[in-house]
Amino acid sequence: MTSEADERGEPTGAPASVDVSAAARPPAFYRLENTVQPYDWGSTSAIQDLLGVEPDGRPAAELWMGAHPLAPSRVVPDGALRPGEGAPSGAGPGTLVDLVRTDPVRVLGQRVLDQYGPRLPFLLKVLAAERALSLQVHPRPHLARAGFNRENREGVARDSPLRSFHDDQHKPEMVVALTRFEGLSGFRRPRRILELLDGLDGGLVARMRAALEARPTEAGVREAFTLALHARSEPDLAADLARTVASVRARAERGPDDGGRGRSSRRADTTVLALAEQHPGDPGAVVSLMLNRVTLAPGESMFVPSGHVHAYLSGCAVEIMASSDNVLRAGLTRKLVDVDALLECATCTPGPAARPRVIDDGTGLTTYRPPVAEFALRAGRVAGDEAVPLPDAGPRVVLCLDGSVSLAGADHGASVRTVLARGESVFVPHATGAVAVRGEGRVVVAYVP
């Protein structure tokens, strides 16, 4: 039965109290406005294409989604959380750092808060490399804390180019390829390194060979690596490396001459030549012969533990890591190379490139679980009307890579949803609870396992 007041649109009491309650509830989803890092090795088209912006010839290397202090995502409460609702009044954008600090239990959940404090423990990126990144290592936890505190005591400014440790966190990381993705990660077996160095000209490679022949062990690998790092200060390095690169080029053009025994590697040789062209006079090109050469097809993944020497060479990938910007460079860069700090942090144990545990549950989304506690990924394609459940607790970041998908969950018994198009991302607080995705598109979900 409709009352006279109803017909005039006048309030009757009960609805007003419901509206106040709904308005007081925190948003279930927060739209993210993310920083693009214009590092010079970045692609001039890949991230621009993802975000739907016109390329302008400048590189876009990384898209950061998270709460790292150097470039925290800005958050805007989703303005269409409930049918008929607009954006909450007075809700201007802040950063994800601010959001976490305002209500860490609601945003992170008690478990994550107890383990990591009031901070988001992971950083999600899209990485687009047109040429090689630096040869680098990320410190393990105790070394990150020690290095950060030491540089603070020494008065090294946080933004100084002479600083090696920008925070006190370790930085294990994982990549999942979006295109063909090329990289180097971890040291080859000593005998294999010797096969690749065999027959090359130059004083540095001769000393590296001698170290490995004397000790074809982890100790020999470390000594050969150390020789290459310290060679940066030698006055005749450029001429010596030119001889080595010339002998690599001759071998690549000549082709295998080992009777089919597989001792040489065209891929390893072409990697040296490409790096020497990008970074002439840098011994990192020769160091690449010591490292495992990795090619990932779309959907394939690689885990890089703290301490592993690595470099990403080309391609586009989703990257997730512990929330840190600690990078100790070994070469292929014009930035600081802190040899002593790098050697303290580097692990020289030979072995294959590491891979995460991969779980395909038939939903279209694959779970990637590296052996660390800070992060994991769900990624893949959804199709049709069937809802695919996402991780149901803790802080989550969801990115749409193409198509259009909707996220739906329950908030105090009310249905809540948001829609993501290509390149759009949202933060989902712990308090939002269980969330499912449906639609037609590719998505990535970062979470704390």
Side-chain angles (χ1 to χ4, degrees):
M1 179 175 175
T2 303
S3 69
E4 185 177 348
D6 291 334
E7 292 175 338
R8 293 196 302 267
E10 295 175 3
T12 59
S17 65
V18 170
D19 290 342
V20 169
S21 172
R25 290 201 298 269
F29 303 105
Y30 291 84
R31 295 269 165 176
L32 295 181
E33 298 174 353
N34 306 306
T35 296
V36 175
Q37 302 288 9
Y39 307 138
D40 62 3
W41 47 261
S43 168
T44 56
S45 61
I47 289 177
Q48 294 89 334
D49 183 55
L50 173 67
L51 298 178
V53 299
E54 192 69 26
D56 59 6
R58 291 181 294 180
E62 294 179 348
L63 177 69
W64 286 27
M65 291 157 279
H68 192 279
L70 289 180
S73 299
R74 296 185 67 79
V75 293
V76 181
D78 193 7
L81 294 177
R82 302 171 182 85
E85 285 191 6
S89 61
T95 71
L96 191 47
V97 173
D98 300 327
L99 183 67
V100 170
R101 289 175 178 168
T102 298
D103 193 349
V105 174
R106 183 183 75 84
V107 173
L108 301 176
Q110 194 65 56
R111 175 182 68 89
V112 175
L113 178 61
D114 288 346
Q115 191 165 1
Y116 301 105
R119 55 184 295 271
L120 185 67
F122 63 77
L123 176 61
L124 180 67
K125 298 181 182 182
V126 174
L127 182 151
E130 201 156 284
R131 58 190 186 87
L133 285 67
S134 60
L135 198 61
Q136 59 190 250
V137 169
H138 306 304
R140 285 160 286 174
H142 67 290
L143 294 172
R145 290 190 296 270
F148 181 69
N149 292 335
R150 180 177 63 251
E151 291 185 336
N152 285 346
R153 288 194 307 271
E154 293 171 352
V156 183
R158 293 285 291 272
D159 59 352
S160 170
L162 300 179
R163 192 174 185 104
S164 296
F165 297 88
H166 296 275
D167 53 61
D168 63 356
Q169 300 295 316
H170 73 153
K171 192 187 173 189
E173 60 191 34
M174 177 176 68
V175 291
V176 177
L178 298 177
T179 66
R180 181 185 172 102
F181 192 79
E182 306 287 352
L184 301 162
S185 185
F187 286 99
R188 302 178 191 263
R189 293 177 293 105
R191 293 296 182 190
R192 182 57 179 149
I193 300 172
L194 280 169
E195 289 176 349
L196 295 174
L197 294 178
D198 185 42
L200 299 183
D201 298 331
L204 173 59
V205 292
R207 296 195 301 274
M208 293 168 66
R209 274 198 306 268
L212 286 162
E213 287 168 349
R215 291 191 293 178
T217 62
E218 178 180 345
V221 171
R222 177 172 288 276
E223 183 178 352
F225 182 49
T226 301
L227 287 167
L229 293 182
H230 282 297
R232 299 178 68 86
S233 61
E234 296 176 0
D236 59 347
L237 175 65
D240 186 65
L241 287 177
R243 293 176 58 208
T244 303
V245 171
S247 62
V248 171
R249 181 175 290 107
R251 183 169 70 182
E253 292 172 352
R254 185 172 63 243
D257 57 1
D258 52 19
R261 293 188 297 274
R263 294 182 62 188
S264 62
S265 165
R266 179 175 292 276
R267 185 165 71 151
D269 288 347
T270 56
T271 299
V272 173
L273 297 176
L275 295 177
E277 181 178 356
Q278 293 175 22
H279 298 275
D282 193 311
V286 174
V287 171
S288 71
L289 292 171
M290 301 181 66
L291 301 172
N292 295 302
R293 186 66 169 76
V294 179
T295 299
L296 301 179
E300 294 183 334
S301 56
M302 179 171 69
F303 174 60
V304 180
S306 297
H308 272 222
V309 181
H310 64 286
Y312 302 140
L313 303 178
S314 65
C316 193
V318 171
E319 183 181 27
I320 187 168
M321 62 198 65
S323 188
S324 171
D325 196 42
N326 280 328
V327 180
L328 300 167
R329 295 174 179 87
L332 308 179
T333 182
R334 292 188 295 271
K335 296 181 179 180
L336 174 70
V337 175
D338 187 340
V339 172
D340 292 338
L342 185 139
L343 288 173
E344 182 183 23
C345 294
T347 298
C348 295
T349 306
R355 307 285 179 139
R357 184 161 61 99
V358 178
I359 305 165
D360 183 354
D361 60 8
T363 63
L365 298 186
T366 299
T367 299
Y368 300 86
R369 285 290 305 271
V372 293
E374 287 93 340
F375 58 81
L377 283 180
R378 291 262 284 159
R381 182 172 294 279
V382 294
D385 293 331
E386 185 175 351
V388 178
L390 301 181
D392 61 3
R396 291 147 286 178
V397 172
V398 184
L399 167 67
C400 179
L401 292 169
D402 64 42
S404 177
V405 298
S406 67
L407 305 179
D411 182 16
H412 298 276
S415 176
V416 294
R417 66 186 296 272
T418 191
V419 177
L420 296 179
R422 177 184 176 88
E424 294 182 335
S425 56
V426 295
F427 177 75
V428 185
H430 167 77
T432 301
V435 173
V437 61
R438 69 179 70 200
E440 299 283 344
R442 282 193 301 161
V443 295
V444 174
V445 187
Y447 67 101
V448 182

